[in-house]
Amino acid sequence: MMTSVLFATRLIFYLAFCECTQTGAPFVEPPTYRSEHTTLTFAEYTMQGPDGFTQLTRSFDGMFGGPTLRVQPGSTLYLTVHNQLTPEKVSTSGSTNGILRIDSTNIHTHGLHISPLSPGDDMFTKIGPGTSYEYIFEIPKDHMPGTHWYHPHFHGSTALHTGGGAAGFLIVDDPPGYLPPAIENLEEFLLVITHLNSQLMKLYSSMYEQNCKVLGGSDLDCHDKFWASGPLNGAPIDTLLVNGLQEPRLEIVANRWYRLRLLFSSIDV
């Protein structure tokens, strides 16, 4: 059974004074896509983690996590998702529950007040391996601005897809003049905080392999090359990553206000 703890929020942050040492790589934000016609590609990705940790996972657009999508109230987002995963050697579509159909994916959003019916935010949409699907998200004109997010949520593969890091911001921007100028003009930082537990991912991967074997697959047919064998290099990890980095270094100026948007993604509580 998978339990998800995922949320997004925004904070106004004031730095008065900090005695701290410089650790980690420089802070880097995910890229931002602003076009109403946007494409995401879901595919294999080899992530480089702390202490030499290297792991094959599944993610969006060749990065750990995914790009930030920004929309306006009253706009329509045409979001095409290309699934470039390879097909299962033995189909697990015959099962109802558990970890299965890990070659199929989709997109689900949190925070948007839009239609839950296809081609809107329909969690039952299936994007099979080697196929594409265009979502149409019609954002109401009176939609409140906010910090929202998206992630894969296809039944059976959610744990291995989202737990492997696939999640990103979906921000409804503030219309001009919506906020007081003192807040509207603040410098902003985006932080996707991911709890990555590679041993838990290995467990979910083994559950998939067992389901596949019950349906007649061999050990070779059912092997999940992503998480079943553990990391490609380094020891297993159970850590928090910020935009895919461990303890990145964000240099800010004392006695200045900042605006932080935070997304926390975890399948382990």
Side-chain angles (χ1 to χ4, degrees), residues 111-142:
L112 292 186
H113 293 267
I114 58 176
S115 172
L117 304 177
S118 180
D121 188 5
D122 182 357
M123 291 191 301
F124 298 103
T125 296
K126 176 182 178 180
I127 309 175
T131 69
S132 302
Y133 183 83
E134 183 183 60
Y135 289 93
I136 302 177
F137 296 160
E138 297 180 348
I139 315 297
K141 292 182 179 180
D142 60 351

Side-chain angles (χ1 to χ4, degrees), residues 17 26-27 33-34 39 43 46 92 97 99 116 127-128 160-161 165 177 180 208 253:
F17 182 76
F27 175 81
Y33 296 176
R34 295 182 178 272
T39 298
T46 302
T92 55
N97 292 310
I99 309 298
I127 309 175
L160 288 179
H161 292 184
Y208 163 77
V253 179

Side-chain angles (χ1 to χ4, degrees), residues 90-184:
V90 174
S91 174
T92 55
S93 296
S95 294
T96 302
N97 292 310
I99 309 298
L100 46 92
R101 298 180 292 184
I102 60 175
D103 58 354
S104 297
T105 193
N106 64 14
I107 288 288
H108 175 51
T109 71
H110 288 242
L112 292 186
H113 293 267
I114 58 176
S115 172
L117 304 177
S118 180
D121 188 5
D122 182 357
M123 291 191 301
F124 298 103
T125 296
K126 176 182 178 180
I127 309 175
T131 69
S132 302
Y133 183 83
E134 183 183 60
Y135 289 93
I136 302 177
F137 296 160
E138 297 180 348
I139 315 297
K141 292 182 179 180
D142 60 351
H143 198 295
M144 184 177 181
T147 303
H148 313 305
W149 60 283
Y150 67 91
H151 68 97
H153 198 182
F154 185 65
H155 182 65
S157 65
T158 305
L160 288 179
H161 292 184
T162 304
F169 281 108
L170 203 169
I171 296 172
V172 179
D173 283 327
D174 304 302
Y178 183 82
L179 296 175
I183 297 177
E184 183 178 22

Side-chain angles (χ1 to χ4, degrees), residues 43-47 55-59 64 160 164-165 226-227:
E44 297 181 9
Y45 173 68
T46 302
M47 66 163 294
Q55 177 67 55
L56 184 64
T57 187
R58 308 165 177 90
S59 198
F64 184 82
L160 288 179
F226 290 85
W227 294 95

